[in-house]
Amino acid sequence: MNIKQIAKDTAKMLQNYLTYQAVKTVLAQLSETNPPLALWLQYFSADKLQDGEPYIEELFREKPDLALRIMIVREHLAEEVAEYLPEMVRTGIMQANMEHRRQHLERSTQLQTFDPLSTSQEQATSEPNSEDVS
């Protein structure tokens, strides 16, 4: 297990997600102040937000003012989120794991009720009928 690589991959994923959130924020602002530009950004952003850095590079070529605005919002989001994120991630994972374990334990310890009537009916229907065999 390469912890440094996992940390790099996680940071990259978080960076891409914050880019996505910044675009959503800017789109919401533009929807109120400049609907045609919001529509343009929405079409431009479709299917391009998987990787934030190439997205911003391409946006810089098209509309540098929007790229700068998204970068500022993304940076602000990163500053606001960074303080709480480590504890929230640890707590969220611990709680989710505990819930998964609880559900697994409940499923594995549930007793199945024994119904002799339904068991004999299931056996009768699963056995081949000797009258149908030629």
Side-chain angles (χ1 to χ4, degrees):
M1 177 171 24
N2 186 344
I3 297 297
K4 283 186 179 182
Q5 187 59 48
I6 292 170
K8 284 180 183 179
D9 293 345
T10 303
K12 176 88 170 135
M13 185 181 73
L14 181 57
Q15 190 172 334
N16 289 335
Y17 182 72
L18 290 175
T19 302
Y20 165 76
Q21 287 296 330
V23 170
K24 275 182 52 174
T25 301
V26 170
L27 273 170
Q29 294 167 347
L30 288 174
S31 294
E32 295 178 10
T33 60
N34 189 343
L37 187 57
L39 190 59
W40 182 90
L41 182 60
Q42 187 173 3
Y43 285 125
F44 176 83
S45 301
D47 300 328
K48 293 182 184 175
L49 279 171
Q50 269 55 29
D51 194 350
E53 301 321 304
Y55 168 81
I56 289 179
E57 289 173 15
E58 188 175 340
L59 186 57
F60 254 118
R61 288 191 289 276
E62 298 288 326
K63 296 209 181 283
D65 56 327
L66 277 179
L68 288 170
R69 186 171 177 175
I70 289 169
M71 288 170 41
I72 290 168
V73 171
R74 176 176 73 165
E75 189 173 340
H76 174 74
L77 289 172
E79 289 171 2
E80 294 296 316
V81 168
E83 181 180 341
Y84 305 104
L85 195 60
E87 185 60 32
M88 290 175 77
V89 169
R90 278 192 292 272
T91 301
I93 287 175
M94 286 172 40
Q95 288 175 344
N97 285 351
M98 190 181 331
E99 180 63 19
H100 291 302
R101 286 182 183 116
R102 183 189 63 76
Q103 290 174 358
H104 175 70
L105 182 61
E106 285 177 359
R107 283 191 304 270
S108 63
T109 58
Q110 286 178 343
L111 296 177
Q112 294 182 353
T113 58
F114 180 71
D115 183 1
L117 183 58
S118 68
T119 305
S120 62
Q121 288 174 349
E122 289 174 10
Q123 289 175 349
T125 57
S126 64
E127 293 178 3
N129 192 344
S130 59
E131 294 175 7
D132 291 347
V133 178
S134 303

